[in-house]
Amino acid sequence: MTSDGTLWRDSSAERLTTTPLAADARAEVVIIGAGFTGLACALEVAKQGASVVVLEANSIAHGGSGRNVGLVNAGLWLPPDEVLAQMGEADGTRLVEALGQGPQMVFDRVAEHGIACEATRHGTLHLAHSAKGLAELQDRFRQGNRHGAPLQLLDAAETARRTGSAAFHGALLDPRAGTVQPLAYCTGLARAAQELGAQIHESSAVTAIAHADGHWKVSANGHSVRAPKLLLATNAYHEGIAGAFAPQFVVVNYSQFATAPLPPKAQAKVLPGGEGCWDTALVMSSVRVDAAGRLIVGGMGNADGLGGTIHAGWARRKLRALYPDLGDIPFEHHWRGKIAMTRDHIPKVVNFGPAAYAVFGYSGRGISPGTVFGTAAAQALLTDAPEAFPLPVLKGYKEHLRGLHEAYYEFGATLTHAMMRGRAGGWRRATRGGPHDPSARGRDPHALFPGHVRDVPPGGAAIRHPDRAGARRERGGHGGRPGAEGPTGGGG
């Protein structure tokens, strides 16, 4: 099993040839970061006939944009009523409606530019890991329908038919959503932008930013790009850039494990419709398949860190719990990405200088929001209209106690994964204690997969935000470095 390159990089059908920045340049817009946000912005700027230069420290989609789960979800993972409660009715409704259109924007770009990214629009499934999780989904269903989302609540039997696993109590289907090969989608955005005249430079880490005489001077590789308008789209993979605004957020790790392609009979059973899934557990996990029939299991935690062995062991046990007949199929890839989490889980747009914006903090929802916000950034920059963004623009943003929160999340995920053993250190089958066993209803409401795994270990440890004890976490999807717009996964 390798983590040297993600599955997404190894399997991408989209390729692009670029060169590092090797001479001074001028443009109307300069973008730091070649992830979803930066490249969606570059594509829109180029469509409008303006000149644009993108600087990427590593390679296109090096960060979360090439490491997330690949779920093209609508909206944030916060339910809409909570978004409105935090932002106010007018601003909250504007954001909910804009992000509700996010999947359509993504799939429109895939179709318009012929992006070969395994695009599958059969919806996503939010899986109820317990009776308590099902009650949460029922509430989300009511909220979503009230706000115009065409959500469908599925019972346990239909959920089992769609997933091929009897481990769930039900699911919430969002037919607006779908899946993509995220790195291929991001690379396709870059190709489309380049074809329209955008200059994209990989291996061009930005070292300094300065503003003078109505222009931004962005330095990389000993050269500079001058432009009157600037977008900083580094997200979770931002590194120090002299003179630049530094986005603040909590980094949350998310890791994924991909099997070898499943046997044909298994492919016909496991997620045959290609829906991408994540669950309602506090320490959430995800599951999806790719076009080659690989099964990809993801969960919070750093598989490349000190707890890597624990997270890898958890992934094996999770696979056996969900699909006992596939429990021994080998994992061929594993990788991890970083999520930029904000304390209220709402993305941030900061106007940090003349005609300069930083966009960050998707909190695990990168593909659709990154496309929406990147496109909006182009409109805001080209027309001097900050109201083009789907939420109010800030003059600054601070995230407090970041190091403490990051350690809290990683320790909690590692501890929880280490203690997920079920009774007597083993696993109980779905046929005993699972959602199809009436005697199990209402029992162990914290089980990650009822009858199999627990997300609250003995003693009650669970992953909760220190500031927001009731908030659930989701993976991510989005990233870069200083120069790469910054998983998981999340999510997408």
Side-chain angles (χ1 to χ4, degrees):
M1 182 169 62
T2 178
S3 63
D4 295 335
T6 70
L7 167 64
W8 304 137
R9 192 164 297 281
D10 290 349
S11 66
S12 177
E14 286 281 350
R15 305 288 176 180
L16 188 69
T17 299
T18 70
T19 59
L21 183 68
D24 293 345
R26 289 182 176 271
E28 293 175 70
V29 178
V30 59
I31 298 170
I32 305 172
F36 298 130
T37 303
L39 292 170
C41 180
L43 177 57
E44 185 64 21
V45 170
K47 280 184 176 181
Q48 298 303 318
S51 57
V52 57
V53 173
V54 181
L55 299 175
E56 162 60 49
N58 290 280
S59 56
I60 290 166
H62 168 83
S65 296
R67 299 170 188 266
N68 67 45
V69 179
L71 307 191
V72 186
N73 278 310
L76 303 172
W77 64 265
L78 289 177
D81 284 0
E82 188 167 345
V83 175
L84 268 64
Q86 291 191 34
M87 299 183 65
E89 184 170 355
D91 288 336
T93 298
R94 182 159 65 106
L95 181 60
V96 168
E97 290 180 350
L99 295 184
Q101 295 298 315
Q104 187 64 53
M105 183 178 287
V106 170
F107 290 111
D108 282 349
R109 277 150 182 72
V110 170
E112 179 182 358
H113 301 288
I115 299 175
C117 61
E118 304 178 13
T120 303
R121 198 173 188 183
H122 294 161
T124 54
L125 295 172
H126 195 175
L127 302 169
H129 74 292
S130 66
K132 183 178 180 181
L134 181 60
E136 177 195 334
L137 294 186
Q138 291 168 340
D139 182 55
R140 285 177 176 265
F141 170 73
R142 289 188 289 267
Q143 288 188 41
N145 282 182
R146 191 168 64 250
H147 289 277
L151 306 179
Q152 301 172 32
L153 192 63
L154 309 182
D155 62 17
E158 177 62 13
T159 301
R161 186 190 70 79
R162 288 174 178 261
T163 62
S165 174
F168 305 104
H169 289 245
L172 192 62
L173 169 67
D174 189 341
R176 299 171 296 178
T179 62
V180 294
Q181 207 275 28
L183 188 143
Y185 170 63
C186 199
T187 306
L189 291 177
R191 173 181 56 76
Q194 189 183 67
E195 289 171 352
L196 291 172
Q199 299 179 52
I200 301 174
H201 299 287
E202 297 175 291
S203 301
S204 300
V206 172
T207 55
I209 296 175
H211 188 269
D213 300 325
H215 283 74
W216 291 96
K217 178 183 177 182
V218 181
S219 301
N221 295 352
H223 302 283
S224 65
V225 178
R226 294 179 182 271
K229 305 173 189 298
L230 168 65
L231 175 65
L232 182 66
T234 52
N235 204 39
Y237 287 74
H238 184 88
E239 294 183 358
I241 303 174
F245 168 79
Q248 293 191 8
F249 43 79
V250 172
V251 172
V252 177
N253 290 293
Y254 197 85
S255 296
Q256 296 182 75
F257 301 81
T259 70
L262 303 180
K265 288 185 178 180
Q267 290 188 36
K269 174 184 176 184
V270 176
L271 293 167
E275 302 95 336
C277 309
W278 76 103
D279 65 29
T280 55
L282 290 177
V283 184
M284 65 83 57
S285 59
S286 60
V287 61
R288 64 160 296 185
V289 293
D290 72 352
R294 301 178 183 91
L295 182 60
I296 305 161
V297 176
M300 291 176 61
N302 182 1
D304 295 328
L306 295 176
T309 301
I310 291 172
H311 297 309
W314 165 84
R316 175 59 59 190
R317 296 192 301 273
K318 173 57 67 78
L319 179 62
R320 288 172 177 157
L322 293 178
Y323 303 104
D325 293 342
L326 303 175
D328 294 326
I329 192 168
F331 288 124
E332 292 188 338
H333 291 79
H334 87 268
W335 66 97
R336 65 103 180 186
K338 297 188 292 186
I339 299 169
M341 187 83 71
T342 61
R343 59 179 174 268
D344 60 1
H345 317 306
I346 302 292
K348 306 303 173 194
V349 179
V350 174
N351 176 205
F352 62 89
Y357 297 102
V359 182
F360 59 96
Y362 296 113
S363 298
R365 286 283 176 97
I367 299 176
S368 290
T371 304
V372 169
F373 275 80
T375 303
Q379 298 164 353
L381 289 167
L382 293 177
T383 63
D384 192 24
E387 62 272 16
F389 287 105
L391 45 59
V393 174
L394 308 174
K395 287 299 182 183
Y397 178 77
K398 290 188 178 296
E399 189 80 29
H400 302 291
L401 302 175
R402 289 178 290 164
L404 176 62
H405 290 172
E406 288 169 4
Y408 178 88
Y409 283 128
E410 186 60 35
F411 174 77
T414 303
L415 177 64
T416 302
H417 284 172
M419 302 187 76
M420 285 182 179
R421 290 292 193 277
R423 291 177 180 170
W427 294 88
R428 292 168 290 174
R429 294 299 180 94
T431 53
R432 183 182 179 190
H436 300 297
D437 177 5
S439 67
R441 301 290 184 182
R443 182 173 34 144
D444 192 11
H446 299 294
L448 179 59
F449 288 99
H452 297 304
V453 193
R454 299 186 60 201
D455 72 343
V456 179
I463 301 302
R464 294 180 183 269
H465 193 290
D467 293 337
R468 302 182 55 75
R472 283 178 168 81
R473 294 291 171 265
E474 184 172 350
R475 83 236 163 280
H478 204 74
R481 284 178 54 103
E485 190 279 318
T488 337

